[in-house]
Amino acid sequence: MSALSLFIFSVGAFWFIVFWFFRLNPKWALLAACIFLIFDPIFLFLRIPVLNNEINMLGVLFFTAGCILILLNRNVPTNSSQG
Amino acid sequence: MFKCYCLKIVLNVIWINLPFLKGIIIMQLNEKRQSIITWILPLIVYLLFSIVIFWQLAFLDGFTINADYSFPQTPSGFIKLVFPFWNDILGNSTIERLPQLPLILLAFSIGTLLNLTSQQILGWLSVIFSTSAGIGIYSLIHFCRKGNPSYQLSNENMWGAFFAGFVYMWSPFIVGQAIHPFIRFSHGILPFMALSFFKYYETQQKRFIVLSAILWALITCSVHWIIYGPMLFVAFTIHWLFYEIKNSERQWKLIVENIIFSLRSLFLLVIFYLGYSAFWFLPGLFMGGVSLYGDRPIIEVYDLLYRNATPSRITRFMGNWTIDGKYITRNPIFNLNIVFLIFLWSSILAFLLAMMALYFNPKDRYASFFSLFSIIIFFLLVCAYISSDLFAIFLTDLPFHDYYAWAFRSPKFQVLLLLAVAVLDGYSVPVIIVKITHLIDKLLIRFKKQKWPNLFRSSFFVLLIVLQLFAAWPLTTGDFNGSLTPVTIPEEFQILQEWLEQQDDYFYVLWIPTYFDGTVDWNLNRSIKDFIFDNSLTPVISNNKPRLNLVDFIWDTSFTSEALLLNKSRNIGKYLAFLGIKYVILHDDISNKKKQISNIREVLLAQDDLQLVDNDFDILSVFENENFRDIFGASTSALWAVNNFPILEALVTVDSYHPFNYPLIFAKQNDLIPTDFNGINLRLLADNSITYEDLAFCNLTKKEIISLGNYVDDSSWQSYDLMDPFFRNYILQQAVSVWDIPFGSSGAVSLRKNGDIHPTISLPFKCQESNQWEFFLRKLDSTAGGILNLSIKDVLDHTIVSFEVNTTNSDKNSFNWVHKSVYLSEGSYSLEVVNEFGLNVLDCFLLFTNDQYNDLLTKADNFLTDYPVIINFPITDSIINQSFPLELNLEGIYRFTHKKEVDYQIFINEDELELVNESKTSWKSSKSLQLNGTAVNLTITTNHTMNETIGSNIWLYQLVNESETLTSVFNNSDNIDIRYTLKEAEINMYTTELAPFLLWVTKNYNEFWKLELQGTYSDPFIVNGAILGYIIDSSLENDFKILFLPTFFFEIGFLISLTFGIVSILGFVILYHNLFSRRLMEFLVKRTK
């Protein structure tokens, strides 16, 4: 596993713990995920291919964190929309 | 007549049921007035979009040929590809296509009734399955969201579901799979399979599990679904169990019931699946199970096929390794930076929207399932990118990897991620639409513009659709941006095929040169792989497709490159005849191979036994092989080739040698020893590099050989199969060609350049007693070779013996043995091989006690006394004008001989031999020579230059009687009278010959072609490197039979599947008929009131 991947994974894990302990709303994790994914094309566009993949990966990691937090019913505000 | 009859029955059934069907339609319309808008409208829109994608295939004349997208032109040809079960060219791989049989039979029978070409049938199937992909997701979302009490069929929800279906059907994934129609078909069936499986868990009605099994059997038209299907089923079952356990609040009885229920469901599913699939499952199981589905390729191949599986591309569904080619355009508007940027955003849109689904529906079980599922599949897809070590563990180390690894050769399972993302989009898009509307509502309420929110809502939806259209824009072109454009195939091909079919005999046709890497005049910008094979009415041999096929193996090597192009023989036809080839067809339609083609034409014209058939073709030249006799032959004599495979090239130069009279058996290819050929006149044939080891190891069976490929656990050494085309390409890139036969089942290869870490392979072994042990390692000596460091270590990692081996050889590439003799006491050891430098290829490892080895050597000595020997000295730099020892100590009367063209002087222990011209032949030979089993030194000198001697050979052969010449040795001809009747997978034979003889049949060697003699089955062996051979002792019985045994299992399986299918369909018809009758009655009663 490359050093960059390991770094990305530890960043993901760190923020997951932060979200968990400080009872932050998972929507911020999902928002972060969206921002990373929206930035991915810009990096791709600027021809920085490696970084664009790592940015994207970070996005998916935040998505994962958000999903887990929601599923564990952690920090989900009771008035969240049901669609 | 039959067609009319069938049509009549169908019409009758419809006619009888017409009032019933009419009633149901009226009922449906009355009950759900909305159904036209909610269901029919999306269906029509999806259908229109599907027609946009495939209109060129469905409506235009002509045929599409592009790489894997290469199919027979007629429906009957298409069915032939799958059935009958045995296929001379595909060999084993027919079984991979067999699961397509139900779909092909159904679609192509209907297509034939409607007079469609196979291209149009495929086009219409694509349209149908593409539509079903869209509407499938649409209904899947409707089903999944129905559980939520607040769910309504509101406009937003419908639009969301429609968009989700569109994301699924109009996806870059489909662009990537342009040339794989069956993968596209399975993509269309998938949503319904998921729907039916989910519905089963929801309603717990057994008919849904049966339906799931039927759909799973259908989806297996792309064989990967044997593995991908269970991924979905098991994942959902586990998730369902978690939810049930969570909801049951620790009522243990309920939990246990649920676990039993889910296990029973999966069991039922598998049983029904196997029932429907028995027609391919039974023969597949008999023939070796999953081992049939391709070997695991070397890591380089994974690197290639996963090169686009990066996180950024996977979230865009652009993981296919060739997808970029389909997005290439000359349109200047696409080259604008801003357009490129919009494309980059539009393609990530679906994934972005999907991420929010769970947040908006945190309590929904399907939203949570698909979110988790998408994360798991995503990480599996990008595993190769994150860590190739981890991925290698997944493919090679986890339990059962032998069963699943083949399905993960390339990231085709993206479709599972696509399914999850599409469904999640169906959850999130409506909410986003509502939120945006509210937002705009709030903003606009100040300006009192009532109608604007509606306008904004619709335009937002249209924007989403347009962005998705843009993300997979090659689909708008109707031919996948030039990938599937229909072309007109030159008429000559069809005329020639028909002419060939009119010939009486059963024969093969050889097409040269290969289309591979060619620019074909009538199919520019697309590549051709299987065209000839797919469309031939007669059996063909063409090396267009890399297959694990021994006929290819010969064609890649000796004939096309050496014998044919170096112009070695004037009678190439007899070698072609041995492979059953009656016609050679040279096609001159490859513009970048014009020179090669004209060279081949000259060589073919120069052959005495090939006649150009006169016809008016421009592109095609047909040569008839006058040496062709039959597709099988028999002989009482055979050559036993001990060491190198290229010995065949030397034999080509001997005019009197005819493989029909003296079939050639390569010792290493077969698990047989010469004594298995009792009653056959065997002669040992070898070249001068033969050693006693080579002879000794002829006595080993494959079980006694330890293949090094099985011990590769470090990614720096990789396992390979010598017959694997990928491996052959890989070592060809290192400028090494080696066409030797593997001794073990798979070897190990590594390439080390300066500065890399040292690749190490470790092989544990046990010594049962304290003794002098002999070990042997077979390694490749080549121009790209280097140095190996070998050491034997004990359990405490103490080095017992260590030494270096040089593997460079500037002269030729060949496998040779490393021999070391070591005293080892009882215990466990390991052999460590370190690649110090260069390209090193290891084949196998052998270990014997001193006594065992001596035994083998004695047997080898017996060979030399029991069978006459022929040794070939190919003239190279290393043997000419210098003294060298003869490797074997021969005993008996021998004679040297060579062709007159070049003059040689031969000295034996420094005495010159007198060479005289033979009468009536073009050979010179020495007087007979008594060798008495002692070491002999040879010197061969010549006055000619090296260029003049290239390709010439000197032969040393043992005399069975005094007057024999090499020409007369090979002039042997038996007339064994055999009569036969030929069926697809069975040949019945009858002979009057009494002596045991060797029979060969020109079919690709396959171990399941058995000989039935006196009620017992015996296995074939490989003759001439490629085809089937048997020993027949006809003194036992004159009637015998050769048959492809799995056909029997196919027939049984087919009956089982048919029974399952018919019973299920009848069951469903009755069930639904009753269901609807009841509802119809209720409806009518209600209406009359």
Side-chain angles (χ1 to χ4, degrees):
Chain A
M1 195 177 283
S2 70
L4 198 55
S5 296
L6 270 178
F7 175 72
I8 296 294
F9 271 96
S10 28
V11 168
F14 172 75
W15 279 106
F16 179 73
I17 293 164
V18 168
F19 269 84
W20 183 274
F21 275 106
F22 291 93
R23 294 186 165 271
L24 297 178
N25 191 327
K27 80 174 171 195
W28 301 117
L30 291 177
L31 191 68
C34 288
I35 289 169
F36 282 122
L37 284 201
I38 288 171
F39 269 89
D40 161 23
I42 294 179
F43 280 91
L44 200 66
F45 183 67
L46 296 175
R47 303 278 190 275
I48 317 176
V50 177
L51 216 54
N52 108 278
N53 280 314
E54 306 307 326
I55 289 286
N56 188 293
M57 180 76 92
L58 212 52
V60 179
L61 278 175
F62 269 94
F63 168 45
T64 314
C67 284
I68 294 170
L69 289 169
I70 293 168
L71 287 175
L72 295 177
N73 215 3
R74 186 86 178 173
N75 323 331
V76 183
T78 41
N79 60 348
S80 79
S81 164
Q82 290 280 322
Chain B
M1 188 64 200
F2 180 70
K3 280 183 196 172
C4 287
Y5 191 67
C6 287
L7 227 95
K8 218 170 161 185
I9 290 180
V10 171
L11 286 176
N12 266 328
V13 169
I14 293 174
W15 184 249
I16 292 164
N17 282 296
L18 213 54
F20 179 67
L21 291 173
K22 206 171 125 193
I24 286 173
I25 290 166
I26 292 170
M27 176 182 80
Q28 290 285 337
L29 288 179
N30 264 287
E31 276 189 350
K32 299 175 186 163
R33 281 184 188 281
Q34 270 198 323
S35 62
I36 289 182
I37 299 168
T38 50
W39 295 104
I40 311 285
L41 199 66
L43 187 74
I44 291 171
V45 179
Y46 285 134
L47 181 69
L48 289 176
F49 274 116
S50 305
I51 290 174
V52 168
I53 303 177
F54 297 107
W55 71 269
Q56 295 212 16
L57 293 184
F59 295 111
L60 291 192
D61 286 336
F63 283 89
T64 299
I65 300 166
N66 187 9
D68 291 2
Y69 198 98
S70 175
F71 299 106
Q73 298 175 26
T74 58
S76 60
F78 212 104
I79 294 170
K80 249 187 210 167
L81 215 60
V82 181
F83 184 81
F85 188 43
W86 171 258
N87 189 314
D88 276 334
I89 302 300
L90 284 175
N92 260 349
S93 73
T94 319
I95 193 124
E96 285 176 41
R97 295 177 184 232
L98 203 56
Q100 301 169 354
L101 188 65
L103 198 63
I104 288 178
L105 269 185
L106 193 73
F108 282 72
S109 332
I110 296 171
T112 316
L113 282 177
L114 299 174
N115 263 339
L116 295 175
T117 61
S118 73
Q119 165 104 343
Q120 286 162 335
I121 297 172
L122 275 180
W124 279 109
L125 270 181
S126 300
V127 169
I128 290 167
F129 281 113
S130 175
T131 313
S132 102
I135 202 74
I137 290 289
Y138 187 85
S139 39
L140 182 60
I141 288 167
H142 179 65
F143 165 79
C144 288
R145 302 192 63 194
K146 227 167 36 183
N148 190 334
S150 63
Y151 175 74
Q152 295 167 335
L153 260 180
S154 64
N155 279 353
E156 291 83 19
N157 285 339
M158 266 173 56
W159 290 2
F162 179 82
F163 175 71
F166 189 66
V167 160
Y168 186 74
M169 70 167 277
W170 193 280
S171 165
F173 171 79
I174 292 298
V175 181
Q177 300 302 337
I179 55 172
H180 296 134
F182 286 93
I183 291 180
R184 284 195 264 109
F185 298 166
S186 62
H187 159 268
I189 303 170
L190 174 61
F192 286 108
M193 188 176 81
L195 176 63
S196 148
F197 191 68
F198 296 169
K199 220 165 181 173
Y200 170 69
Y201 273 99
E202 197 107 308
T203 60
Q204 310 214 345
Q205 290 172 344
K206 288 220 171 49
R207 62 187 150 122
F208 289 113
I209 203 88
V210 176
L211 193 64
S212 305
I214 291 177
L215 290 170
W216 185 17
L218 269 182
I219 208 173
T220 314
C221 65
S222 153
V223 282
H224 303 87
W225 282 92
I226 302 169
I227 305 295
Y228 300 166
M231 280 166 74
L232 181 69
F233 299 141
V234 171
F236 184 76
T237 306
I238 291 171
H239 186 267
W240 182 84
L241 267 178
F242 267 109
Y243 250 76
E244 293 300 312
I245 289 170
K246 206 175 128 194
N247 291 344
S248 61
E249 288 165 352
R250 300 200 179 172
Q251 289 176 312
W252 292 109
K253 204 184 152 198
L254 206 65
I255 293 172
V256 172
E257 271 176 14
N258 278 330
I259 292 174
I260 291 173
F261 168 73
S262 54
L263 287 179
R264 204 183 56 198
S265 317
L266 289 181
F267 177 75
L268 268 178
L269 180 70
V270 172
I271 292 297
F272 274 97
Y273 176 65
L274 292 183
Y276 299 123
S277 309
F279 68 96
W280 60 260
F281 181 73
L282 277 187
L285 199 67
F286 171 75
M287 288 165 73
V290 283
S291 61
L292 288 169
Y293 292 93
D295 290 306
R296 282 197 314 273
I298 54 176
I299 296 293
E300 262 80 4
V301 175
Y302 282 119
D303 285 351
L304 180 71
L305 297 178
Y306 274 85
R307 68 179 177 190
N308 281 347
T310 61
S312 177
R313 278 169 168 271
I314 289 297
T315 45
R316 294 182 159 78
F317 306 103
M318 293 176 75
N320 181 281
W321 67 292
T322 58
I323 194 168
D324 289 352
K326 278 136 200 144
Y327 275 91
I328 291 172
T329 172
R330 290 209 192 105
N331 193 332
I333 198 154
F334 283 89
N335 295 332
L336 293 177
N337 282 341
I338 188 72
V339 177
F340 181 55
L341 198 60
I342 293 172
F343 166 71
L344 290 175
W345 264 314
S346 71
S347 52
I348 210 158
L349 186 73
F351 195 86
L352 207 65
L353 293 171
M355 289 202 316
M356 299 165 208
L358 190 62
Y359 181 72
F360 294 138
N361 304 271
K363 294 275 186 303
D364 192 293
R365 67 162 51 175
Y366 295 104
S368 101
F369 166 69
F370 279 116
S371 295
L372 288 176
F373 191 60
S374 67
I375 291 167
I376 293 168
I377 298 293
F378 173 83
F379 281 105
L380 203 56
L381 279 161
V382 297
C383 188
Y385 176 81
I386 299 172
S387 159
S388 51
D389 295 341
L390 210 65
F391 193 58
I393 289 171
F394 170 66
L395 292 177
T396 57
D397 287 345
L398 290 188
F400 304 115
H401 67 264
D402 280 344
Y403 292 90
Y404 67 74
W406 61 270
F408 298 95
R409 264 175 68 110
S410 64
K412 290 191 182 81
F413 55 108
Q414 276 178 97
V415 63
L416 291 172
L417 182 66
L418 181 58
L419 173 79
V421 164
V423 174
L424 291 176
D425 280 350
Y427 275 92
S428 54
V429 170
V431 185
I432 290 170
I433 291 179
V434 168
K435 291 209 165 193
I436 284 185
T437 320
H438 279 267
L439 198 72
I440 292 164
D441 225 7
K442 270 187 204 166
L443 279 174
L444 295 179
I445 206 136
R446 297 178 194 171
F447 303 103
K448 293 179 183 167
K449 301 267 195 235
Q450 298 286 327
K451 280 184 182 171
W452 280 30
N454 249 337
L455 192 72
F456 270 99
R457 197 170 51 179
S458 339
S459 37
F460 178 69
F461 176 70
V462 171
L463 181 72
L464 285 182
I465 296 280
V466 169
L467 284 176
Q468 186 61 29
L469 268 174
F470 195 44
W473 64 262
L475 299 181
T476 50
T477 56
D479 62 350
F480 287 76
N481 195 20
S483 290
L484 300 184
T485 323
V487 292
T488 316
I489 298 166
E491 254 179 47
E492 290 177 23
F493 285 92
Q494 188 57 31
I495 298 170
L496 178 64
Q497 295 289 6
E498 279 162 15
W499 179 78
L500 285 171
E501 206 193 17
Q502 284 163 10
Q503 313 298 309
D504 282 338
D505 305 328
Y506 187 88
F507 55 81
Y508 287 86
V509 179
L510 172 70
W511 290 74
I512 41 179
T514 167
Y515 274 116
F516 189 72
D517 278 348
T519 311
V520 183
D521 301 341
W522 48 269
N523 196 24
L524 289 170
N525 303 328
R526 281 167 291 276
S527 64
I528 295 188
K529 260 164 91 179
D530 299 353
F531 161 67
I532 294 296
F533 162 66
D534 288 331
N535 290 297
S536 179
L537 302 166
T538 46
V540 291
I541 294 178
S542 75
N543 50 357
N544 287 330
K545 186 182 173 190
R547 283 184 301 270
L548 303 180
N549 173 331
L550 285 160
V551 176
D552 277 355
F553 193 65
I554 285 191
W555 282 104
D556 280 355
T557 59
S558 311
F559 286 114
T560 39
S561 62
E562 297 289 327
L564 211 59
L565 291 178
L566 291 181
N567 209 352
K568 274 188 181 175
S569 171
R570 292 269 167 263
N571 291 296
I572 200 87
K574 61 193 179 192
Y575 293 91
L576 302 176
F578 195 87
L579 296 172
I581 295 164
K582 190 178 177 187
Y583 294 100
V584 179
I585 291 157
L586 186 71
H587 52 93
D588 188 4
D589 53 356
I590 308 178
S591 48
N592 60 343
K593 288 189 181 178
K594 292 278 178 207
K595 194 158 190 286
Q596 189 193 351
I597 291 169
S598 70
N599 283 347
I600 295 176
R601 185 195 304 279
E602 273 173 34
V603 175
L604 291 178
L605 284 170
Q607 302 300 316
D608 296 335
D609 53 0
L610 292 182
Q611 293 304 322
L612 186 65
V613 177
D614 193 30
N615 50 36
D616 300 329
F617 295 150
D618 291 330
I619 302 172
L620 306 171
S621 322
V622 184
F623 293 88
E624 186 172 346
N625 180 6
E626 291 183 341
N627 256 321
F628 173 79
R629 293 185 207 166
D630 212 330
I631 57 148
F632 70 93
S635 164
T636 54
S637 316
L639 284 173
W640 180 261
V642 177
N643 52 353
N644 278 325
F645 196 70
I647 194 91
L648 202 57
E649 287 167 27
L651 278 176
V652 171
T653 61
V654 183
D655 296 331
S656 66
Y657 174 73
H658 196 307
F660 255 84
N661 305 332
Y662 247 116
L664 188 63
I665 299 160
F666 290 95
K668 280 176 226 153
Q669 273 187 333
N670 292 301
D671 229 1
L672 302 165
I673 53 174
T675 45
D676 292 331
F677 290 84
N678 272 337
I680 307 290
N681 302 321
L682 274 193
R683 278 178 195 260
L684 293 188
L685 175 70
D687 70 18
N688 66 323
S689 63
I690 187 177
T691 57
Y692 275 100
E693 277 97 38
D694 289 324
L695 271 181
F697 300 147
C698 282
N699 274 317
L700 298 177
T701 58
K702 293 217 165 90
K703 275 181 194 157
E704 293 170 275
I705 295 162
I706 304 163
S707 291
L708 271 157
N710 302 342
Y711 293 90
V712 173
D713 55 357
D714 188 311
S715 58
S716 51
W717 278 96
Q718 292 164 23
S719 78
Y720 71 87
D721 183 340
L722 200 56
M723 298 292 181
D724 185 345
F726 284 115
F727 171 72
R728 279 151 53 188
N729 284 338
Y730 171 67
I731 65 163
L732 268 176
Q733 281 166 15
Q734 325 296 331
V736 174
S737 64
V738 52
W739 310 118
D740 212 337
I741 292 169
F743 216 88
S745 59
S746 74
V749 59
S750 100
L751 173 66
R752 181 176 183 270
K753 298 182 183 100
N754 275 338
D756 294 355
I757 51 145
H758 285 90
T760 309
I761 191 170
S762 176
L763 179 103
F765 64 90
K766 260 187 192 159
C767 291
Q768 311 287 0
E769 52 181 290
S770 303
N771 205 330
Q772 190 74 24
W773 289 86
E774 314 283 334
F775 81 82
F776 295 88
L777 189 72
R778 193 166 181 252
K779 42 99 185 166
L780 175 73
D781 291 329
S782 70
T783 45
I787 292 165
L788 284 174
N789 199 333
L790 272 67
S791 49
I792 292 180
K793 293 184 172 174
D794 62 11
V795 272
L796 299 169
D797 220 24
H798 292 148
T799 306
I800 293 169
V801 62
S802 168
F803 60 98
E804 273 193 353
V805 176
N806 190 344
T807 58
T808 44
N809 186 343
S810 56
D811 210 19
K812 61 174 181 177
N813 308 312
S814 64
F815 277 98
N816 293 306
W817 294 101
V818 178
H819 177 196
K820 193 80 183 170
S821 179
V822 189
Y823 183 86
L824 295 172
S825 45
E826 191 186 337
S828 298
Y829 298 89
S830 68
L831 169 76
E832 232 164 61
V833 189
V834 180
N835 186 4
E836 292 289 340
F837 184 74
L839 174 83
N840 281 299
V841 183
L842 302 176
D843 188 29
C844 69
F845 172 70
L846 301 171
L847 186 73
F848 307 105
T849 63
N850 195 266
D851 297 342
Q852 286 170 332
Y853 180 53
N854 286 336
D855 263 4
L856 283 171
L857 283 183
T858 321
K859 278 188 188 163
D861 250 346
N862 289 346
F863 279 176
L864 288 180
T865 48
D866 290 351
Y867 302 101
V869 181
I870 301 173
I871 294 183
N872 162 249
F873 299 85
I875 300 301
T876 58
D877 276 333
S878 58
I879 68 165
I880 202 84
N881 297 335
Q882 53 194 300
S883 168
F884 62 93
L886 200 59
E887 297 283 345
L888 306 179
N889 296 334
L890 299 172
E891 205 175 339
I893 304 167
Y894 284 83
R895 195 177 273 170
F896 277 98
T897 183
H898 68 82
K899 273 194 159 179
K900 275 180 200 166
E901 300 150 0
V902 186
D903 279 327
Y904 291 107
Q905 294 83 45
I906 299 169
F907 299 87
I908 187 153
N909 293 337
E910 291 168 10
D911 300 330
E912 185 172 358
L913 289 176
E914 192 191 345
L915 292 160
V916 291
N917 285 344
E918 282 176 14
S919 57
K920 291 181 196 165
T921 67
S922 56
W923 292 78
K924 262 183 164 179
S925 36
S926 69
K927 288 214 172 96
S928 47
L929 182 78
Q930 177 74 41
L931 295 177
N932 48 13
T934 53
V936 168
N937 259 329
L938 275 179
T939 314
I940 298 171
T941 62
T942 180
N943 299 327
H944 293 265
T945 61
M946 203 56 216
N947 277 346
E948 288 168 311
T949 59
I950 196 160
S952 70
N953 294 275
I954 291 176
W955 300 83
L956 175 65
Y957 66 100
Q958 191 170 5
L959 297 176
V960 178
N961 61 56
E962 188 61 27
S963 62
E964 251 178 359
T965 63
L966 194 63
T967 309
S968 70
V969 166
F970 286 137
N971 252 344
N972 156 69
S973 69
D974 302 307
N975 278 320
I976 296 173
D977 177 40
I978 298 176
R979 269 158 271 167
Y980 69 99
T981 49
L982 191 72
K983 290 185 217 163
E984 290 292 354
E986 192 177 307
I987 308 171
N988 292 301
M989 294 189 162
Y990 171 82
T991 184
T992 48
E993 175 78 22
L994 284 178
F997 60 90
L998 195 154
L999 173 92
W1000 68 92
V1001 182
T1002 32
K1003 286 188 179 294
N1004 273 334
Y1005 169 79
N1006 182 302
E1007 59 186 310
F1008 299 105
W1009 273 97
K1010 308 277 185 189
L1011 165 75
E1012 191 194 335
L1013 183 70
Q1014 278 199 315
T1016 56
Y1017 293 102
S1018 47
D1019 293 338
F1021 49 86
I1022 306 173
V1023 177
N1024 226 21
I1027 60 176
L1028 294 171
Y1030 306 91
I1031 300 286
I1032 312 266
D1033 190 353
S1034 53
S1035 59
L1036 301 169
E1037 199 172 310
N1038 297 116
D1039 278 311
F1040 55 94
K1041 196 192 277 184
I1042 292 162
L1043 72 168
F1044 188 61
L1045 213 54
T1047 312
F1048 171 70
F1049 291 90
F1050 169 74
E1051 281 160 4
I1052 293 179
F1054 193 77
L1055 281 180
I1056 295 174
S1057 301
L1058 205 65
T1059 321
F1060 259 80
I1062 290 172
V1063 168
S1064 311
I1065 289 168
L1066 278 180
F1068 273 110
V1069 168
I1070 294 166
L1071 192 79
Y1072 278 96
H1073 197 273
N1074 291 348
L1075 213 71
F1076 277 114
S1077 305
R1078 211 180 311 136
R1079 275 175 59 190
L1080 192 60
M1081 286 306 286
E1082 284 166 10
F1083 169 73
L1084 291 175
V1085 168
K1086 212 159 67 183
R1087 213 162 104 163
T1088 43
K1089 274 178 189 170

